[in-house]
Amino acid sequence: MQVAIAKPTYYLHNSRNCVSSIAAPATTRRRSLQPRFSIHFSDQTQTGRRSGGYQPALWDFDSIQSLHNQYKEEVHRTRAQGLIDQVKMLLVEEMDHVGRLELIDELHMLGISCHFEKEIIQILNSIYLNYETDQRDLYSTSLGFRLLRQYGFSVSQEVFDCFKNDEGSGFMPSLAQDIKGLLQLYEASFLLTHGENTLELAREFAIKFLQKKLDDDDDDDYLVSSIWHALEFPSHWRVQMPNARSCIDACKRRPDMNPIVVELAKLDINIVQAQFQDELKETSRWWESTCLVQKLPFVRDRIVECYLWTTGVIQRREHGYERIMLTKINALVTTIDDVFDIYGTVEELHQFTNAIQSWDDIESMKQLPSYMQLCYLALYNFVNEMGYATLVEKGFNSIPYLRKTWVDLVEAYLIEAKWYYSGHKPTLEEYMNNAWISIGGVPILSHIFFRLTDSIEKEGVESMHKYHDIIRASCTILRLADDMGTSLDEVERGDVPKSIQCYMNKKNASEEEAREHVRSVMAEAWKTMNGEMMRAAADDDSPLIFSKYFVEAVANLARMAQFIYQDGSDGFGMQHSKVNKLLRGLLFDRYA
Ligand code: 0FV
Ligand code: MN
Ligand code: MN
Ligand code: MN
Ligand code: MN
């Protein structure tokens, strides 16, 4: 039996309480770029095709297109510039080192450090000169250590030796009282690389006493809520813009907070929101024009969530084109992933993989069912468009490399599909060897690489496409964070065992033990990432393989995954309420 799937008409869900600043009438119909031909989908019960069980999009095309934002007006930029100048004065004013470090940290958390890069580097430079010899307390040593490492200065973990006990096996018990110091020690410990045992001990020690403080003390003061916030997510793992709004809220509660800084942060987030809305509109027009949702109704219609990802991954204001590009990649990755995980039959999946491998072979494309021809051509056109832009701007033909990453991805998808249909239960190692690719980070990072590298050199291109350790570390975190949030639903729907299930099968472990293990693998991957980030930022003579902005995006991809799948729930496919609230705050609701 053949059934034509009716094109769903999406309304703006809960338009009143959900997306307050999108004011589209609830009766607005999804404007249709009408299908010119109709694809017939086979009946699900007959073919055994699975269902994703994903809800429709929360935001429809018309309401996104009708967004209007007053913060695009020049008057706001002028006002912001005035505030930026005042904060610059603050930074160079008579202030002690600690005060300056605190201000730098705040500017970063509030998402406005980009306006002060030059000043920040100058200040850190002068602090760095005497950092390893100056006598300091735990608080300022830890804060300085973290900020210096974050900005690429090389500081040794040995600066913490003076806080250790006589045997050197742990930290001095007297420090247990210094809660502010411990909080910074905890934050600093997340900058560790492999083998940095002091930082490992530091984290354990700090967590023990911070936790105790929370258990003993139910005051809701700023310090206690900062501890909660930090234990939930250390600042080194936090993406900037998606977190900025809640940081402004928190800072407003601080008695000693400088009001000019807060005012700038509030204004700036509204200005950025106007820019983000324009970028979102553009990607939404592209998504609508592909007609993928109408033609392949089983795929996740998540263009807004795809865009949200990019605000965390590509954080520079000027990289709007890159955010738009990355949103499209996210949408293509999720679409093709849904074809493999949900809809396609094994035979179709072989054909599709074959078509991508052959790349521009019209004959193998002709063999595909119509719905796959659409995916194929959407991807093919996109990659060519990106390749063309890089060729024009940088004189480098990136297409063979981009294509390799997409081939690697679909081959990894196919392996999972074969495991699923044959009932194969991989070991965790076997699973991970494939799964760090099957999460989709490899094409994402390859496309970003060509955009965020100014002069493209052979060494960089090869390191990227041999999947340098930092690439693999980022993809590993992306995969594991995703498994933490999505694998229960996936296995229930019908999928290969994911990392958690592989560990449980092998070790006869409980789900919680498996999650604990997965968290520890993520922590190891962060050590690799930190080491490589420090190398990339180091101001020495060794040639840089990767640009600073690219490395920043590589780390942010991992951060964003931890953010979206926080608390082990799916903030992307299932639009989990915590992420959804944040999405509205960042993209739709003005900060009043
Ligand atoms: C993964 O979905 C998914 F949708 C992600 C990671 C969000 C989109 C953004 C990127 C592609 C970075 P799913 O859990 O279905 O992936 P797997 O690989 O588990 O099928
Ligand atoms: Mn923050
Ligand atoms: Mn999937
Ligand atoms: Mn998949
Ligand atoms: Mn998943």
Side-chain angles (χ1 to χ4, degrees), residues 54 300 306 309 329-330 333-334 337-338 341 413 416 431 438-441 444 478-479 482-483 486 490 493 495 498 557 565 570 572-573:
Y54 298 115
R300 281 166 283 187
C306 283
W309 267 90
I329 303 174
N330 289 346
V333 168
T334 44
D337 178 65
D338 286 339
D341 286 346
Y413 282 161
E416 283 180 3
Y431 169 77
S438 74
I439 191 58
I444 288 175
L478 179 60
R479 160 53 69 201
D482 176 80
D483 285 356
T486 64
E490 286 161 345
R493 175 179 73 213
D495 207 329
K498 300 298 183 90
L557 182 65
Y565 300 109
D570 181 1
F572 179 82

Side-chain angles (χ1 to χ4, degrees), residues 238-308:
R238 283 182 190 265
V239 276
Q240 226 178 352
M241 286 325 290
N243 277 306
R245 194 173 174 121
S246 66
C247 289
I248 302 175
D249 291 339
C251 281
K252 284 200 304 201
R253 296 175 54 212
R254 246 181 83 167
D256 57 342
M257 190 65 207
N258 185 305
I260 299 171
V261 175
V262 176
E263 196 185 339
L264 173 61
K266 280 162 56 178
L267 178 58
D268 191 72
I269 205 166
N270 286 329
I271 294 175
V272 173
Q273 186 175 81
Q275 180 184 345
F276 283 174
Q277 288 179 355
D278 278 347
E279 294 169 10
L280 174 63
K281 283 183 188 177
E282 189 173 334
T283 46
S284 137
R285 288 195 292 273
W286 167 83
W287 183 231
E288 188 77 5
S289 77
T290 65
C291 292
L292 287 170
V293 174
Q294 290 97 312
K295 303 287 188 180
L296 286 67
F298 56 88
V299 303
R300 281 166 283 187
D301 185 6
R302 294 287 178 275
I303 200 65
V304 180
E305 290 80 358
C306 283
Y307 179 72
L308 173 70

Side-chain angles (χ1 to χ4, degrees), residues 312-340:
V313 177
I314 298 183
Q315 64 191 26
R316 304 277 151 174
R317 305 287 159 88
E318 65 273 28
H319 290 153
Y321 179 88
E322 285 70 22
R323 274 187 292 275
I324 292 170
M325 174 196 78
L326 177 56
T327 310
K328 296 179 184 177
I329 303 174
N330 289 346
L332 289 167
V333 168
T334 44
T335 300
I336 300 171
D337 178 65
D338 286 339
V339 168
F340 276 80

Side-chain angles (χ1 to χ4, degrees), residues 83-330:
L83 292 166
I84 289 170
D85 292 340
Q86 288 183 56
V87 175
K88 280 186 185 168
M89 304 281 285
L90 272 179
L91 275 167
V92 296
E93 230 173 46
E94 276 303 296
M95 199 196 276
D96 59 10
H97 276 357
V98 182
R100 285 215 178 96
L101 287 171
E102 287 175 329
L103 185 53
I104 292 172
D105 191 31
E106 283 155 12
L107 295 174
H108 183 87
M109 288 191 310
L110 295 168
I112 47 179
S113 54
C114 57
H115 302 297
F116 310 100
E117 294 255 297
K118 219 175 75 207
E119 290 75 11
I120 291 173
I121 294 289
Q122 265 169 13
I123 292 168
L124 291 177
N125 231 328
S126 74
I127 291 177
Y128 181 62
L129 290 177
N130 303 312
Y131 179 75
E132 291 192 2
T133 48
D134 274 1
Q135 285 285 312
R136 264 168 279 94
D137 59 7
L138 181 64
Y139 177 78
S140 61
T141 304
S142 306
L143 180 60
F145 178 87
R146 172 165 61 91
L147 292 175
L148 286 169
R149 276 205 177 182
Q150 267 172 1
Y151 280 85
F153 293 87
S154 142
V155 268
S156 159
Q157 62 162 355
E158 284 165 24
V159 298
F160 293 106
D161 284 351
C162 60
F163 302 109
K164 285 170 124 177
N165 59 22
D166 291 342
E167 305 83 57
S169 59
F171 282 75
M172 292 187 295
S174 60
L175 295 170
Q177 308 308 317
D178 178 7
I179 297 296
K180 267 183 78 180
L182 287 176
L183 184 55
Q184 286 307 329
L185 180 66
Y186 164 84
E187 294 283 20
S189 74
F190 284 87
L191 276 292
L192 87 173
T193 64
H194 290 287
E196 291 193 309
N197 211 20
T198 297
L199 294 172
E200 203 95 67
L201 286 172
R203 189 187 304 182
E204 262 169 55
F205 178 78
I207 288 178
K208 181 169 155 201
F209 293 102
L210 291 173
Q211 193 64 57
K212 191 166 179 315
K213 167 85 179 161
L214 292 182
D215 295 343
D216 294 352
D217 191 343
D218 52 10
D219 283 357
D220 186 27
D221 63 10
Y222 183 74
L223 183 60
V224 169
S225 64
S226 308
I227 297 173
W228 275 109
H229 186 72
L231 290 180
E232 190 184 23
F233 250 112
S235 43
H236 184 52
W237 288 3
R238 283 182 190 265
V239 276
Q240 226 178 352
M241 286 325 290
N243 277 306
R245 194 173 174 121
S246 66
C247 289
I248 302 175
D249 291 339
C251 281
K252 284 200 304 201
R253 296 175 54 212
R254 246 181 83 167
D256 57 342
M257 190 65 207
N258 185 305
I260 299 171
V261 175
V262 176
E263 196 185 339
L264 173 61
K266 280 162 56 178
L267 178 58
D268 191 72
I269 205 166
N270 286 329
I271 294 175
V272 173
Q273 186 175 81
Q275 180 184 345
F276 283 174
Q277 288 179 355
D278 278 347
E279 294 169 10
L280 174 63
K281 283 183 188 177
E282 189 173 334
T283 46
S284 137
R285 288 195 292 273
W286 167 83
W287 183 231
E288 188 77 5
S289 77
T290 65
C291 292
L292 287 170
V293 174
Q294 290 97 312
K295 303 287 188 180
L296 286 67
F298 56 88
V299 303
R300 281 166 283 187
D301 185 6
R302 294 287 178 275
I303 200 65
V304 180
E305 290 80 358
C306 283
Y307 179 72
L308 173 70
W309 267 90
T310 72
T311 63
V313 177
I314 298 183
Q315 64 191 26
R316 304 277 151 174
R317 305 287 159 88
E318 65 273 28
H319 290 153
Y321 179 88
E322 285 70 22
R323 274 187 292 275
I324 292 170
M325 174 196 78
L326 177 56
T327 310
K328 296 179 184 177
I329 303 174
N330 289 346

